[in-house]
Amino acid sequence: METTIEPSRAAKPQRHKVTGDVHLILRRGDAALFGQRQNTGYEDGAWHLPSGHLEADESVVDALIREADEEIGVRIAAADVRFSHIMHNSSSGGRVAFFFTVDRWDGEPTNREPDKCAALEFFPIGDLPDHMIEYCRAAMGHVADAEPFSVFGW
């Protein structure tokens, strides 16, 4: 006896689950702020934008504002957050990275996570540091070209 599986009962592909990240492009004139990673176990020594994971029950803008305060001690008003880019990145099984530009904030950027960040430095947008996490470098190129969406690593 042959068993037939009805199409409606066939095994469905597993739904893809992604981690959401927010990335802050804190602009001072023609430069953006980067932190140098240390003691993280991933790309230590590389320069990267202030960033973090989206938490449950939090909008991407709220996450960006929270991360800016936690990592570099600046306060950002939601009205000053401008969407710049979104990237579907293949790392860690899949991430959606939201990049936002901010050029008005309160406070002076300060390294509030010295256990994970060796230094903070503004780099000219046209002369980014040599050692960066590659998806971040790619995203910065897309931002410079005003391209709102990209995929990386798929």
Side-chain angles (χ1 to χ4, degrees), residues 5-18:
I5 298 175
E6 297 175 31
S8 63
R9 296 186 179 265
K12 293 183 180 178
Q14 183 177 1
R15 288 192 177 186
H16 183 70
K17 294 182 174 122
V18 297

Side-chain angles (χ1 to χ4, degrees), residues 24-71:
L24 172 60
I25 304 170
L26 193 73
R27 294 281 307 252
R28 182 177 279 164
D30 289 334
L33 183 71
F34 288 82
Q36 189 175 34
R37 299 172 62 85
Q38 73 174 357
N39 301 320
T40 67
Y42 177 73
E43 291 284 344
D44 288 334
W47 292 91
H48 195 70
L49 297 167
S51 60
H53 295 124
L54 181 63
E55 295 179 355
D57 299 324
E58 180 178 54
S59 77
V60 291
V61 172
D62 290 342
L64 186 79
I65 291 168
R66 174 184 53 76
E67 289 288 350
D69 182 44
E70 288 176 3
E71 292 190 12

Side-chain angles (χ1 to χ4, degrees), residues 33-36 47 71-72 109-112 117-122:
L33 183 71
F34 288 82
Q36 189 175 34
W47 292 91
E71 292 190 12
I72 60 172
T110 305
N111 185 359
R112 297 185 74 186
C117 179
L120 293 176
E121 189 172 332
F122 281 92

Side-chain angles (χ1 to χ4, degrees), residues 143-154:
V143 170
D145 293 339
E147 297 170 354
F149 172 76
S150 67
V151 295
F152 184 88
W154 294 99

